């Protein structure tokens, strides 16, 4: 059964050749915390005889120090490598381990059970062919069991083992096993999971892991190892899908060679095949398939190659080369299922960086259609998405991208969202389909454009974005600046926070989600006014850096000036021209910036105005001088 073969001693070359051609199964272990995932993997490694003597000695020593099994060896310590994991007896990170038997090679990902590390489970599951879902026989189906099952159904894992572990702690009771099986079958039926194998086991004692043992004579199914060695892996599935190669790099070592390198996500390609490049839609023919070891007559999914084409067409990183007969789709609005993986909630309207294959684009969740209750699978309304929340959302992108529905080609249909300020991965999702409006709405060209409008006004358009606490003096200073510009014959418009909320944004409150939407709308209006050739002044608290960056990204880099009106909180509170701070202190005004809602000060504003050091007139003059320095006015 184990990896150690007699060929190692008699014919090492023959052994290595046989080992090279073994099939490979990637699988994950998942489930709730303390269900025995790491113990199971540790036993598989131990029984496969892939541990060196020094490793065994180290585990024996660690078992005495950190172990949870008394004097017995704690197999979980073979996998839980982080100090924090060993001290707490839990898995935090995804641990990948390799082992093999005479029949197959395996790569197993031990994923965390704790709810706050669900994002790591998604990482481990993204490349798995099968999954082992651990269930503690004492507690049965838990919330995290259901959450991981739902995620597996979303990711599209085809083969599932429900390993009902710790049967030794329920006296190997058949009735307990069958009750859990019945409960899980009912839940799996709602998810559409069909290929499920149930195995009662004790990972600690070894029952039904490698051998059946004698404690459960009533069980006649396969052991876990027998299942893993024989479960069918559809290696041809991705090769039979339409051809997709996301371009990672344009290889141009000299004038005579221009190739497009990438990892084939699906399908197969041969010299002479017609291709189409998305999202541009340009067509050509493959002339060569180049690799380090020489040209290929055919390349298939899973290989990394460089394609040379017959035509000199513009292709860059992020484009997708497709088969001409079934090209990838292009769109900029989608319905998607999103898994939120960050402590800070997802707020509709907030921009994030989206990575889809090799494509990078700005993405915004424009609407949360519904959140999914992982216990009941019921749909519930939601204005934001908390850590580990799962929802069906509408996603809007800053430009069209090439994609496939996730169920068809995971590599071109699965994406992650990245916080643009911290660069943390905050969400992962699966594209379902493009919204019809993304195909039917097109940007209409106009003959009178922004340069023409600006020329007619004799000025360069720009956005002066004033930000600071309530009572800092934003509106006062912005009003003075506009008066000076107007006196100089400039065409301006002042968008003030209170005035906008009387009309355009009167439907918005002051929650974080509403504040994000408030600034999103103002940013879009400011963009239109810049397109009209105006100098736009905006006086809003705009407390979050992410939304101020979003407003900046809507216009050209030299058309946006961030002006920080910096007034200490105690000074602003003493001024309190509208009495808002007093209401907030009395608890009558919730989500008030500076009191019970955060203000993220600019880190590198174009101009930092400290109102305790200069008057409003001096501040206005400093802003006018900045406009002259930037050549926005004469």
């Amino acid at each position: 059964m184990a990896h150690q073969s007699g060929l190692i001693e008699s014919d090492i070359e023959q052994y290595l050749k046989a080992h090279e051609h073994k099939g490979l199964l990637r699988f994950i272990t998942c489930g709730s915390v303390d269900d025995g995932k790491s113990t199971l993997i540790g036993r598989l490694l131990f029984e496969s005889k892939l541990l060196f003597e020094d490793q065994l000695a180290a585990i024996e020593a660690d078992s005495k120090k950190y172990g949870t099994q008394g004097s017995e060896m704690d197999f979980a310590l073979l996998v839980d490598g982080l100090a924090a994991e060993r001290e707490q007896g839990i898995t935090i990170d995804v641990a990948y381990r390799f082992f093999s038997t005479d029949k197959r090679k395996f790569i197993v990902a031990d994923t965390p059970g704790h709810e706050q590390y669900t994002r790591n489970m998604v990482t481990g599951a993204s490349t798995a062919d099968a999954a082992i879902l651990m269930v503690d026989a004492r507690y049965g189906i838990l919330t995290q069991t259901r959450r991981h099952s739902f995620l597996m159904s979303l990711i599209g894992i085809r083969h599932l083992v429900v390993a009902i572990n710790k049967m030794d702690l329920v006296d190997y009771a058949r009735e307990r096993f069958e009750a859990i099986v019945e409960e899980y079958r009912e839940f799996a039926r709602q998810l559409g999971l069909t290929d499920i194998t149930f195995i009662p086991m004790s990972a600690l004692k070894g029952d039904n892991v490698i051998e059946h043992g004698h404690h459960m004579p009533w069980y006649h199914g396969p052991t876990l190892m027998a299942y893993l060695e024989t479960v069918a892996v559809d290696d041809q599935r991705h090769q039979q899908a339409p051809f997709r190669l996301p371009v990672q790099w344009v290889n141009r070592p000299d004038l005579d060679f221009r190739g497009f390198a990438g990892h084939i996500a699906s399908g197969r390609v041969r010299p002479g095949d017609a291709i189409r490049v998305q999202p541009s839609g340009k067509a050509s023919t493959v002339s060569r398939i180049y690799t380090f070891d020489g040209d290929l007559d055919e390349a298939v999914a899973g290989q990394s190659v460089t394609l040379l084409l017959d035509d000199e067409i513009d292709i860059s990183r992020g484009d997708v080369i497709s088969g001409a007969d079934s090209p990838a789709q292009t769109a900029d609005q989608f319905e998607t299922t999103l898994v939120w993986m960050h402590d800070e909630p997802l707020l509709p309207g907030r921009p994030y960086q989206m990575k889809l294959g090799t494509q990078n684009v700005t993405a915004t969740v424009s609407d949360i259609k519904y959140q999914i209750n992982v216990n009941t699978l019921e749909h519930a309304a939601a204005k934001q998405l908390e850590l580990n929340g799962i929802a069906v959302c509408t996603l809007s992108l800053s430009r069209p991208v090439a994609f496939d529905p996730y169920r068809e080609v995971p590599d071109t249909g699965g994406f992650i969202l990245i916080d643009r300020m911290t660069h943390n991965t905050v969400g992962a999702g699966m594209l379902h389909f493009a919204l019809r409006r993304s195909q039917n709405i097109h940007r209409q060209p106009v003959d009178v454009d922004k340069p023409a409008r600006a020329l007619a006004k004799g000025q360069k358009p720009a956005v002066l974005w004033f930000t600071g606490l309530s009572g800092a003096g934003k509106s006062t200073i912005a009003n003075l600046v506009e008066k000076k510009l107007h006196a100089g014959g400039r065409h301006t418009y002042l968008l003030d926070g209170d005035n906008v909320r009387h009309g355009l944004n009167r439907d918005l409150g002051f929650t974080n989600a509403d504040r994000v939407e408030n600034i999103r709308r103002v940013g879009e209006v400011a963009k239109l006014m810049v397109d009209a050739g105006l100098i736009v002044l905006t006086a809003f608290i705009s407390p979050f850096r992410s939304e101020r960056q979003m407003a900046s990204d809507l216009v050209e880099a030299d058309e946006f000036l961030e002006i920080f009106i910096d007034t200490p909180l105690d000074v602003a509170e003493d001024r309190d021209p509208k009495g808002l701070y007093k209401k907030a202190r009395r608890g009558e005004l919730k989500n008030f910036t500076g009191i019970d809602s955060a203000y993220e000060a600019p880190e590198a504003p174009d101009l930092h105005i400290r109102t305790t050091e200069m008057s409003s007139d001096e501040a206005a003059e400093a802003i006018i001088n900045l406009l002259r320095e930037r050549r926005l006015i004469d």
Side-chain angles (χ1 to χ4, degrees):
M1 175 69 71
H3 175 56
Q4 294 202 3
S5 168
L7 285 175
I8 294 179
E9 296 180 358
S10 61
D11 191 341
I12 186 65
E13 291 187 2
Q14 184 64 27
Y15 165 76
L16 292 173
K17 184 176 181 180
H19 185 66
E20 180 182 355
H21 291 88
K22 290 179 186 176
L24 173 66
L25 175 71
R26 297 175 181 267
F27 69 95
I28 65 166
T29 59
C30 55
S32 192
V33 66
D34 288 334
D35 280 349
K37 299 179 294 298
S38 297
T39 300
L40 174 63
I41 296 175
R43 178 164 286 281
L44 288 173
L45 294 174
F46 177 77
E47 297 287 356
S48 298
K49 298 181 176 62
L50 284 176
L51 301 178
F52 296 107
E53 290 183 2
D54 60 336
Q55 288 178 296
L56 287 172
I59 292 301
E60 289 175 357
D62 286 343
S63 295
K64 296 176 182 178
K65 183 177 180 181
Y66 302 110
T68 61
Q69 305 303 324
S71 60
E72 297 184 22
M73 186 181 297
D74 190 346
F75 290 111
L77 299 181
L78 288 167
V79 183
D80 292 339
L82 300 178
E85 292 179 335
R86 296 195 170 194
E87 290 168 1
Q88 300 177 52
I90 63 172
T91 298
I92 295 174
D93 201 1
V94 179
Y96 292 92
R97 293 293 184 270
F98 169 87
F99 69 99
S100 70
T101 68
D102 289 337
K103 297 181 180 179
R104 183 174 269 175
K105 295 181 289 188
F106 303 92
I107 296 177
V108 54
D110 180 27
T111 63
H114 272 67
E115 183 174 341
Q116 63 265 41
Y117 303 116
T118 298
R119 57 185 177 272
N120 295 7
M121 180 267 170
V122 176
T123 301
S126 61
T127 58
D129 303 304
I132 301 174
L133 179 65
M134 303 293 289
V135 177
D136 190 321
R138 297 170 297 172
Y139 308 127
I141 309 302
L142 302 177
T143 296
Q144 193 71 336
T145 314
R146 298 175 187 271
R147 179 178 285 111
H148 283 182
S149 299
F150 186 76
L151 290 172
M152 285 186 288
S153 72
L154 287 179
I155 293 170
I157 293 179
R158 300 160 68 87
H159 309 291
L160 173 63
V161 174
V162 178
I164 301 174
N165 191 31
K166 302 187 181 182
M167 289 296 293
D168 53 306
L169 299 182
V170 295
D171 296 325
Y172 301 100
R174 180 175 184 174
E175 296 77 11
R176 182 58 182 154
F177 169 72
E178 291 177 345
I180 294 173
V181 169
E182 183 59 31
E183 181 183 0
Y184 189 82
R185 281 194 191 278
E186 179 58 33
F187 181 71
R189 197 174 296 119
Q190 301 174 63
L191 296 177
L193 295 172
T194 56
D195 188 352
I196 308 174
T197 300
F198 296 91
I199 302 177
M201 69 171 58
S202 170
L204 181 63
K205 304 296 184 183
D207 296 284
N208 290 336
V209 178
I210 305 295
E211 304 292 342
H212 280 93
H214 61 275
H215 292 104
M216 291 176 280
W218 45 266
Y219 174 70
H220 304 290
T223 64
L224 179 64
M225 182 60 81
Y227 174 88
L228 294 175
E229 286 184 326
T230 57
V231 62
V233 178
D234 188 1
D235 295 326
Q236 304 298 317
R237 183 163 57 97
H238 292 312
Q239 297 179 14
Q240 293 168 354
F243 174 67
R244 301 286 184 267
L245 184 141
V247 177
Q248 296 177 338
W249 179 48
V250 179
N251 187 355
R252 193 75 185 271
D254 54 56
L255 295 176
D256 299 322
F257 188 100
R258 188 165 185 258
F260 307 100
H263 182 81
I264 300 177
S266 65
R268 55 185 68 234
V269 64
R270 302 177 183 86
D273 284 355
I275 58 93
R276 189 172 298 277
V277 181
Q278 302 293 72
S280 69
K282 295 176 181 177
S284 185
T285 303
V286 176
S287 60
R288 290 175 60 191
I289 304 174
Y290 177 83
T291 71
F292 180 80
D293 297 320
D295 285 10
L296 300 179
D297 294 328
E298 181 182 59
V300 299
Q303 291 181 285
S304 294
V305 299
T306 297
L307 297 186
L308 281 73
L309 306 180
D310 285 341
D311 306 288
E312 287 286 339
I313 60 178
D314 183 19
I315 302 176
S316 58
R317 175 180 169 83
D319 290 342
V320 176
I321 300 177
S322 306
D325 55 343
S326 55
Q329 304 177 50
T330 60
D332 60 4
Q333 295 185 66
F334 306 91
E335 180 179 285
T336 176
T337 296
L338 184 64
V339 182
W340 193 247
M341 305 188 296
H342 199 259
D343 294 329
E344 291 294 324
L346 162 73
L347 300 176
R350 172 166 287 181
Y352 299 94
Q353 195 69 20
M354 174 179 172
K355 190 174 189 308
L356 173 65
T358 58
Q359 302 173 94
N360 285 281
V361 64
T362 300
T364 301
V365 173
S366 51
D367 177 47
I368 298 177
K369 291 189 171 182
Y370 56 84
Q371 187 170 350
I372 301 169
N373 184 316
V374 296
N375 284 309
T376 64
L377 301 183
E378 291 178 339
H379 298 171
K383 288 189 174 181
Q384 61 184 40
L385 203 56
E386 304 290 345
L387 174 65
N388 294 326
I390 302 171
V392 172
C393 306
T394 299
L395 194 68
S396 299
L397 310 185
S398 57
R399 59 176 175 81
V401 296
F403 81 101
D404 292 283
Y406 180 84
R407 291 284 184 180
E408 297 178 10
V409 185
D411 282 11
T412 53
F415 65 89
I416 60 172
L417 294 181
I418 301 168
D419 186 283
R420 302 197 305 168
M421 299 292 109
T422 65
H423 305 294
N424 291 326
T425 298
V426 294
M430 290 133 277
L431 300 177
H432 299 322
F433 54 82
L435 300 183
R436 183 179 299 177
R437 57 178 175 264
S438 70
Q439 308 293 332
N440 297 337
I441 298 176
H442 306 280
R443 193 170 294 277
Q444 181 65 34
V446 293
D447 293 327
V448 181
D449 56 10
K450 179 169 64 176
R453 299 185 190 103
L455 182 63
K457 295 177 175 62
Q459 66 184 32
K460 181 174 176 56
V463 176
L464 310 185
W465 193 278
F466 293 77
T467 178
L469 293 171
S470 176
K474 299 181 298 299
S475 296
T476 300
I477 296 172
N479 189 53
L480 289 172
V481 172
E482 187 179 31
K483 287 172 64 177
K484 291 177 179 291
L485 291 172
H486 184 71
R490 304 298 170 188
H491 298 260
T492 64
Y493 195 87
L494 172 58
L495 289 168
D496 183 80
D498 283 354
N499 293 345
V500 168
R501 282 185 177 273
H502 281 293
L504 176 67
N505 292 344
R506 69 185 303 171
D507 60 317
L508 300 177
F510 293 91
T511 65
N512 285 349
D514 285 338
R515 289 177 186 273
V516 169
E517 177 61 15
N518 182 48
I519 298 305
R520 187 195 69 80
R521 294 183 191 179
V522 170
E524 292 289 350
V525 171
K527 174 187 176 182
L528 293 174
M529 289 186 166
V530 166
D531 196 53
L534 299 176
I535 297 175
V536 189
L537 303 89
T538 71
F540 293 81
I541 296 174
S542 50
F544 303 126
R545 297 188 188 103
S546 180
E547 279 59 64
R548 297 196 296 267
Q549 183 63 48
M550 172 194 66
S552 174
D553 291 343
L554 291 173
V555 296
E556 300 296 327
D558 60 348
E559 294 177 342
F560 189 93
L561 297 180
E562 184 179 46
I563 302 170
F564 179 25
I565 309 301
D566 186 2
T567 301
L569 177 61
D570 57 341
V571 175
E573 194 165 356
D574 285 341
R575 294 174 182 172
D576 202 9
K578 304 170 188 175
L580 299 179
Y581 283 99
K582 291 183 177 66
K583 288 184 178 180
R585 290 296 186 188
R586 293 195 300 266
E588 299 172 5
L589 194 60
K590 300 295 183 183
N591 303 311
F592 191 76
T593 304
I595 304 300
D596 57 352
S597 184
Y599 176 76
E600 299 173 358
E603 295 178 326
D606 293 280
L607 188 61
H608 192 158
I609 301 292
R610 294 177 173 84
T611 60
T612 56
E613 300 175 6
M614 64 175 65
S615 67
S616 296
D617 285 324
E618 290 171 334
E621 191 59 38
I623 294 168
I624 293 296
N625 289 335
L626 175 65
L627 297 181
R628 292 194 182 104
E629 292 173 10
R630 299 290 177 88
R631 299 183 181 275
L632 292 172
I633 61 174
D634 296 332

